[in-house]
Amino acid sequence: MPSLDFDREESLFRAFYAQQCAALNEACEALAGVVAQVVAQAGGVDIAKVEGRVKDADECIRKFVRKYRPALEESNTPFDIQSYITDLVGVRVVCLYEDELEKIAQIVRAHFAVMDVTDKVTAVESTEASFGYKGLHLDLKLSAAQRDLPEHAAYAHLPFELQVRTIIQDSWSVLDHKIKYKKSIPGQLKRRINVLSALFELADREFRQIRDATAAELLEAPDETAEPAFDAELDALAPQKAAASSSELNAFTFLKIATHFFKDFEFEPSKVDGFVDDIQVWSPGMTRARFNALMRETVGVVKRYKQHLEEQNPQGTFNPYTVIRHCLYLSNKAAFRPALRNSARESFEAWLLEHAEPKPQ
């Protein structure tokens, strides 16, 4: 039964915690898995990690003393500490960009029973004196449908806290907890903490804006893959088009051209970046127009060679990057010799000789 005897209630809570610790850790792992599955299935957000932890018993006691004990004792309201610790189990979702916080919150609101929401983004932005990290905290329970599933029986009615943060916010929270005496430190140290906090906030904003600018750049990249037009109106624009087409090949224009030739292949940004860099090393000043032209001139020959190899070795791989490497080599064997390994180059040359394929002019 609840009481007003804090020492008694603390002892009861610690006994409960010790008895349930193993079960709480199992529930924490399971709930983190449920959250990860729900967010992944919804899609539309880039998740860095989903993790869970069980709050330490001492942390729970300190939280109760700070947030609830004074008011309960003042009003002579009996209490048991366990009932007030809704974040005994905590799950954290760390995303990449700040505009994904609310998207994740909407996803979990649709799949879990929401008991409370703490918007630390608004809380921090509403005061210049706050040193806290941003993020969203939601107190949740499994939905009625989830509670009815046999696999959730052991923790069906267990509340848990979900923290949603960006990578930058998560990093700040780790460092923030290491800064001691934040409320009573001298003014000059407070200003330094504010500067540091502002740098983290700026980094969050910049990452989001760079993501958006990258997507916009890709959409706006000139389309070099269209067939040439010869009507009089477009012909009059030839000088401007020629000037635009002379710009250097970069990741965005490479993707525009490469996805035209390989519509069903997903080019990973990290690999594209390195591959374009290699092309510029092999042939400094490579333009998007020249790259598109050499692909048009050579891709037919290389695809026939690819078909030949696949007939000989069905288990072999000849992905679009390999096709492009062969196209580059075929267009200029001296410049793009490094694009192929010795064995690949010798095999390709033997096939070309056998099939008497003329070098593209």
Side-chain angles (χ1 to χ4, degrees):
M1 292 289 291
S3 73
L4 286 169
D5 185 342
F6 175 77
D7 291 337
R8 172 181 180 274
E9 295 304 326
E10 179 182 0
S11 178
L12 288 173
F13 176 78
R14 290 188 182 279
F16 156 79
Y17 187 96
Q19 182 182 23
Q20 296 296 318
C21 189
L24 287 170
N25 278 290
E26 290 178 6
C28 180
E29 184 178 353
L31 288 167
V34 173
V35 171
Q37 182 180 30
V38 164
V39 175
Q41 288 178 343
V45 291
D46 292 316
I47 300 300
K49 63 180 177 179
V50 179
E51 58 187 6
R53 80 174 185 104
V54 177
K55 188 184 274 302
D56 180 80
D58 290 337
E59 287 184 83
C60 295
I61 298 297
R62 286 196 298 270
K63 177 179 178 179
F64 176 81
V65 169
R66 184 180 70 254
K67 290 190 68 174
Y68 305 110
R69 182 182 178 184
L72 290 168
E73 291 182 345
E74 178 70 23
S75 62
N76 288 318
T77 303
F79 57 82
D80 66 287
I81 294 174
Q82 180 187 341
S83 299
Y84 290 87
I85 308 299
T86 57
D87 59 347
L88 190 55
V89 169
V91 176
R92 181 178 303 153
V93 176
V94 180
C95 57
L96 300 188
Y97 306 106
E98 59 183 352
D99 59 354
E100 294 175 332
L101 296 173
E102 185 55 37
K103 292 178 184 177
I104 295 170
Q106 290 176 1
I107 291 169
V108 299
R109 285 188 183 106
H111 289 85
F112 296 92
V114 181
M115 298 180 293
D116 191 23
V117 178
T118 303
D119 183 355
K120 292 207 169 189
V121 173
T122 301
V124 170
E125 289 181 346
S126 65
T127 173
E128 295 180 0
S130 176
F131 301 137
Y133 58 84
K134 293 184 178 183
L136 289 173
H137 291 192
L138 299 93
D139 291 333
L140 305 174
K141 281 185 178 180
L142 294 177
S143 66
Q146 290 168 327
R147 291 194 294 269
D148 289 340
L149 296 174
E151 60 265 34
H152 299 325
Y155 47 87
H157 296 281
L158 181 68
F160 67 98
E161 180 188 62
L162 177 67
Q163 299 177 352
V164 188
R165 303 174 184 167
T166 67
I167 288 179
I168 301 296
Q169 291 166 1
D170 194 47
S171 299
W172 169 255
S173 74
V174 174
L175 294 171
D176 183 56
H177 281 89
K178 298 297 182 181
I179 300 173
K180 301 180 184 297
Y181 316 118
K182 290 177 289 185
K183 293 185 179 179
S184 57
I185 61 177
Q188 62 179 24
L189 290 181
K190 284 187 178 181
R191 284 192 294 274
R192 290 173 66 179
I193 296 173
N194 274 329
V195 169
L196 181 62
S197 177
L199 289 173
F200 273 74
E201 185 174 337
L202 179 63
D204 235 340
R205 185 182 309 156
E206 284 297 304
F207 274 119
R208 174 177 54 82
Q209 292 180 351
I210 289 170
R211 177 206 62 187
D212 294 342
T214 299
E217 191 75 31
L218 184 56
L219 288 175
E220 294 172 4
D223 187 2
E224 298 288 347
T225 62
E227 292 293 339
F230 295 104
D231 61 67
E233 183 178 353
L234 288 179
D235 210 28
L237 297 176
Q240 295 95 314
K241 183 175 181 181
S245 296
S246 66
S247 65
E248 195 171 72
L249 182 74
N250 59 38
F252 306 114
T253 49
F254 172 88
L255 276 172
K256 199 90 166 192
I257 295 167
T259 52
H260 170 78
F261 288 101
F262 309 98
K263 294 181 172 61
D264 298 324
F265 185 78
E266 185 174 350
F267 289 87
E268 296 179 25
S270 59
K271 290 184 179 180
V272 167
D273 205 34
F275 192 64
V276 173
D277 193 47
D278 285 342
I279 293 174
Q280 294 295 0
V281 169
W282 298 329
S283 181
M286 169 69 76
T287 65
R288 62 189 188 228
R290 181 180 159 211
F291 176 68
N292 178 57
L294 73 83
M295 285 297 298
R296 284 187 180 277
E297 292 169 359
T298 61
V299 72
V301 173
V302 175
K303 284 187 174 180
R304 288 197 294 276
Y305 174 62
K306 175 178 182 287
Q307 183 180 3
H308 163 75
L309 288 185
E310 289 174 344
E311 288 172 353
Q312 286 189 328
N313 181 17
Q315 305 303 319
T317 58
F318 206 99
N319 66 36
Y321 283 109
T322 307
V323 172
I324 295 172
R325 285 175 177 273
H326 281 76
C327 288
L328 291 168
Y329 174 74
L330 187 57
S331 72
N332 188 330
K333 294 180 180 180
F336 294 108
R337 183 181 177 84
L340 298 180
R341 293 179 180 175
N342 289 341
S343 57
R345 189 167 56 247
E346 290 167 4
S347 174
F348 189 34
E349 284 289 359
W351 182 86
L352 288 172
L353 184 61
E354 180 184 347
H355 291 77
E357 291 288 347
K359 179 180 176 180
Q361 298 300 316

